[in-house]
Amino acid sequence: MTTAAQTQPKPVPEPDESSQEFFDGAKRGELMLSQCNECKAWLHPAAPVCTECMGNDLGWAKASGRGTVFTFGVMHQFYHPGFTHELPYNVAIVELEEGPRLNSNLVNIANEEIKVGMPVKATFVDQGGGVFIPKFEPA
Amino acid sequence: MTTNMSGKTAIAGLGITEMTREYIGTTEQVAVQAIRMAIEDAGLAKDDIDGLLVNAGVTNDISIGLQKTAGFRNLRLMNHMNAAGSTAGQMVHYAALAIEAGMANAVVCVFADTPLRGGSAGAAYGQIRNTRGMAGMGPAYGFFGANTGYALAARRHMATYGTTHDQLGAIAVSNRKWAEKNPRAMQRKPMTLEDYHNSRWIIEPFHLFDCTLVSNGAVALIVTSAERARSLKQPPAYILGMGQGHPGNPGRAGFENEMNTGAQIARGTAFGMAGIDNSDVDVCEFYDCYTYTTLVTLEDYGFAPKGEGGAFVQNGRIEPGGELPVNTGGGQLSGYYMWGMTPLSEGIIQARGQGGDRQVEKHDCVLVSMQGGLLDFHATLILSPHASNN
Ligand SMILES: [Zn+2]
C-alpha cells in the first residue's frame, strides 16, 4: 500500500548554466567534472573560478568515476518527505581518484557494511524528471 | 616594531536575556534588551556607547538598522559582521583594535537570534535554501542541516583514530554536569552515559545528545579600554590575547580539515600575544555545537595530541572538579545556543569570578574558542581578571 508520504518526490536539482555539463554527463552515464584549463586541477562542485590558481578559464572533462569513501553517516532524522520511506539512509563523501570530493549516497550496499576507505565507483540514478545524479556502489 | 595589545582592553559589560524555546519578542527586541542589560551591567549610560558591532544568527533579522532601533546617537564605529559562529570573537577583536587605535571607547557587540517559532528546533537550520545547479545537490542526496556535515567530520575522526561513542558521550555528560550548576542552562536534568547512548539517533554517529539545543535570545557585551574598565561597575575581564584562523575546507584529496581546524592557527597568535602556554590555561570555553567540536578543539589547541582527544575527555577530566574545566556553563549542548556568544559569555562570567556554584576557583586564564561554518572559521580570546599575565 502506498501512503501519501511515500509518493512525495525527493528534491530535484535544477541544472543551470554552470552545471549543465555535469547533469548532461550524468544522463549519459559519465561523471563530468569541471577542470581548470590553466593548471589542470579538477574541481567539484563546479565553481566560477579555479580554487587552485584563481584562473577563470574552466572546461569540463570526464572523470573515471572511481574513488573511495572519505566519510559517511546514516540519517535517521526526518527533514524532507521525499526521504521518509528511506529512513535511515546513508550520506557519504566520496574522494575521487582525480582529487575532488563529492557528497553522494552509496547504493547496492547495506548501511552496516559501509566502511571509510572502501573503494567505490559511480552509478547514475534518475532523481526524477529525467535529472540524473551520480551515486556510488562498491567497486 | 611590535605593538602589544595584551591587557590594553577589557570586557566591561555583559547582558544575557532569557534563554528559551518560547517566543520572547522579535529578534530586534531581544537584541536591544541584551544591549540595555549590558550597558546597565557596566554602569554606563546609553550615550556613552560610541561603537556598535552587530552579528545576526540564522534568522538574519538584525543589522545596522539596530543603530536606529536602539536610538544610538554617538556612534564613531559601526558594522554588521559575519564570520558565522566565530563572529562573537571577531567583534571583540575589532572592537579592541579600534579602541586601542583611538577610534572608539565603549563598543557594544551584540548577537541575537529567535529561530524557534513553533516549528521543530532544527527547522530553521535544516531548510532547503536553493535547488538550482550544484547547490541543489545536497538536498538531492538528503544532506540536511549542520548535523550532516559535523556527523561526517566526526566519523572521519572515529575511523582514523578509533574515537568512540563513549568518548563523545563523556563530553555530553560533562556538559550536563556543568549545566546542572547553571540556572541559565536550558537542559539541567542529570544525564548518564547510558542516557546518552539511549538518546535517539539524529544522524549516525550522532545521537540527539551529541547535538546542540537551539535557543531564542540575545547576548551583548561592551568592550572598552582597560583603564576605563577599572572605573566601571564590574570586575574587568581583560583581553590578554586574540587570534583568528580561517582554513576553510578545500574538500579535495590531501586535506583533512575535518580533523584540523583554524584553532591551530588562531592559538599561535592569541597565545603569543598573551605570552601563555597550555599549562597556564585554567578554564576552557569552547564552541560546542556538537560533542565532536569540543574534542577536535581540545586537540587543535594542543591539550591532547591529534587523535587522542577521545581518551583525554574520559575519566572526568573536563567535568566539575576535573583537571581542565571545559564549558562550565553547560556549553551549547546543555546551556544555550547563542553561537560564539555562548562560550564568550561564560568566559566573561568565569573571568569575573561570578560563576556561582560552577565558578572555577583558579580562573586567572580563561581560553575562549569560537568557530563557525563547518569548522571553517575560528576566533580565540584569552580573558583574565588581571591586566597582565605576569
Ligand atoms: Zn587552475
Side-chain angles (χ1 to χ4, degrees):
Chain A
M1 189 159 147
T2 308
T3 66
Q6 283 172 323
T7 59
Q8 286 266 358
K10 290 181 183 177
V12 179
E14 304 160 45
D16 61 7
E17 204 177 325
S18 66
S19 59
Q20 193 67 49
E21 298 265 5
F22 176 84
F23 290 106
D24 287 350
K27 196 175 282 189
R28 295 192 303 270
E30 294 179 348
L31 183 60
M32 298 297 292
L33 296 186
S34 181
Q35 189 176 33
C36 176
N37 288 329
E38 285 185 53
C39 77
K40 302 298 173 197
W42 294 83
L43 306 167
H44 183 86
V49 296
C50 174
T51 55
E52 305 311 294
C53 75
M54 299 195 285
N56 59 10
D57 180 12
L58 303 177
W60 290 86
K62 185 184 164 187
S64 70
R66 286 188 300 270
T68 56
V69 174
F70 179 71
T71 183
F72 71 99
V74 177
M75 180 68 84
H76 290 253
Q77 174 77 29
F78 167 83
Y79 282 102
H80 187 280
F83 292 90
T84 306
H85 64 293
E86 289 185 12
L87 290 170
Y89 63 88
N90 72 69
V91 290
I93 298 176
V94 172
E95 182 171 300
L96 299 174
E97 61 181 17
E98 289 84 2
R101 297 184 187 132
L102 285 79
N103 294 346
S104 192
N105 304 124
L106 302 180
V107 296
N108 300 325
I109 184 169
N111 292 340
E112 300 73 35
E113 304 297 316
I114 302 170
K115 297 268 184 285
V116 169
M118 70 189 295
V120 291
K121 63 179 196 303
T123 178
F124 298 86
V125 177
D126 187 350
Q127 181 78 354
V131 175
F132 282 69
I133 58 174
K135 298 199 174 185
F136 289 81
E137 60 187 4
Chain B
M1 194 186 81
T2 57
T3 309
N4 194 351
M5 281 286 300
S6 190
K8 299 283 175 59
T9 57
I11 297 169
L14 177 63
I16 307 176
T17 66
E18 186 186 350
M19 292 295 155
T20 175
R21 300 178 59 90
E22 307 300 319
Y23 178 81
I24 50 166
T26 66
T27 312
E28 274 204 321
Q29 284 173 326
V30 295
V32 174
Q33 194 190 338
I35 293 170
R36 190 181 186 191
M37 292 166 84
I39 293 170
E40 190 181 314
D41 180 67
L44 287 165
K46 185 174 132 187
D47 283 348
D48 293 329
I49 300 304
D50 61 0
L52 174 66
L53 298 175
V54 180
N55 175 214
V58 70
T59 56
N60 205 25
D61 285 336
I62 54 169
S63 185
I64 53 175
L66 216 47
Q67 177 271 326
K68 188 176 170 68
T69 309
F72 285 119
R73 309 279 149 76
N74 299 327
L75 298 187
R76 296 193 286 154
L77 184 86
M78 187 186 70
N79 220 317
H80 176 174
M81 294 182 49
N82 182 14
S86 69
T87 316
Q90 272 97 321
M91 289 195 291
V92 173
H93 295 170
Y94 298 123
L97 291 167
I99 289 161
E100 184 60 9
M103 292 179 68
N105 189 258
V107 181
V108 164
C109 305
V110 63
F111 171 89
D113 212 5
T114 60
L116 296 165
R117 295 169 187 183
S120 88
Y125 283 89
Q127 280 168 8
I128 299 175
R129 291 185 169 81
N130 190 354
T131 56
R132 282 191 54 79
M134 289 291 169
M137 297 295 284
Y141 293 118
F143 282 63
F144 296 109
N147 296 341
T148 304
Y150 280 89
L152 267 56
R155 171 82 70 186
R156 182 74 185 166
H157 197 279
M158 295 168 91
T160 305
Y161 297 113
T163 304
T164 67
H165 280 107
D166 276 355
Q167 293 168 340
L168 295 177
I171 294 169
V173 167
S174 173
N175 275 52
R176 186 60 58 88
K177 286 184 181 174
W178 284 111
E180 285 176 47
K181 300 167 175 291
N182 181 4
R184 213 175 249 123
M186 289 174 65
Q187 292 290 349
R188 303 180 67 195
K189 188 174 152 237
M191 182 211 293
T192 64
L193 190 59
E194 196 185 348
D195 295 332
Y196 162 84
H197 285 301
N198 290 337
S199 70
R200 67 186 169 89
W201 288 118
I202 298 296
I203 170 172
E204 294 176 58
F206 283 165
H207 290 280
L208 177 65
F209 291 162
D210 284 294
C211 308
T212 182
L213 41 76
V214 179
S215 318
N216 289 342
V219 178
L221 54 84
I222 296 166
V223 186
T224 188
S225 65
E227 192 186 350
R228 189 169 193 193
R230 280 190 276 276
S231 71
L232 295 176
K233 210 163 96 187
Q234 297 291 341
Y238 292 99
I239 300 165
L240 298 192
M242 311 190 289
Q244 299 182 20
H246 310 292
N249 190 338
R252 54 196 302 116
F255 293 90
E256 291 281 2
N257 292 37
E258 288 78 3
M259 304 190 292
N260 296 279
T261 75
Q264 294 179 4
I265 304 164
R267 177 194 178 280
T269 310
F271 281 36
M273 188 184 294
I276 62 159
D277 210 332
N278 286 61
S279 59
D280 295 310
V281 175
D282 300 312
V283 187
C284 292
E285 307 296 350
F286 289 169
Y287 199 102
D288 63 329
C289 46
Y290 299 91
T291 49
Y292 174 67
T293 321
T294 299
L295 189 150
V296 74
T297 305
L298 281 164
E299 291 178 352
D300 286 343
Y301 277 100
F303 290 103
K306 184 52 66 185
E308 294 176 27
F312 183 88
V313 298
Q314 291 187 297
N315 303 313
R317 188 179 261 139
I318 64 173
E319 292 179 4
E323 172 189 320
L324 183 70
V326 177
N327 290 342
T328 54
Q332 298 171 334
L333 295 177
S334 287
Y336 49 88
Y337 188 52
M338 288 283 111
W339 289 20
M341 282 295 190
T342 298
L344 181 49
S345 56
E346 180 65 12
I348 296 164
I349 290 167
Q350 288 289 333
R352 286 177 172 185
Q354 297 174 343
D357 287 348
R358 67 185 191 281
Q359 179 62 46
V360 176
E361 197 182 325
K362 188 171 184 314
H363 54 272
D364 296 324
C365 182
V366 180
L367 168 60
V368 183
S369 146
M370 294 141 285
Q371 72 89 32
L374 176 44
L375 306 167
D376 295 299
F377 313 110
H378 203 98
T380 305
L381 283 168
I382 315 282
L383 303 180
S384 174
H386 317 294
S388 149
N389 177 41
N390 304 309

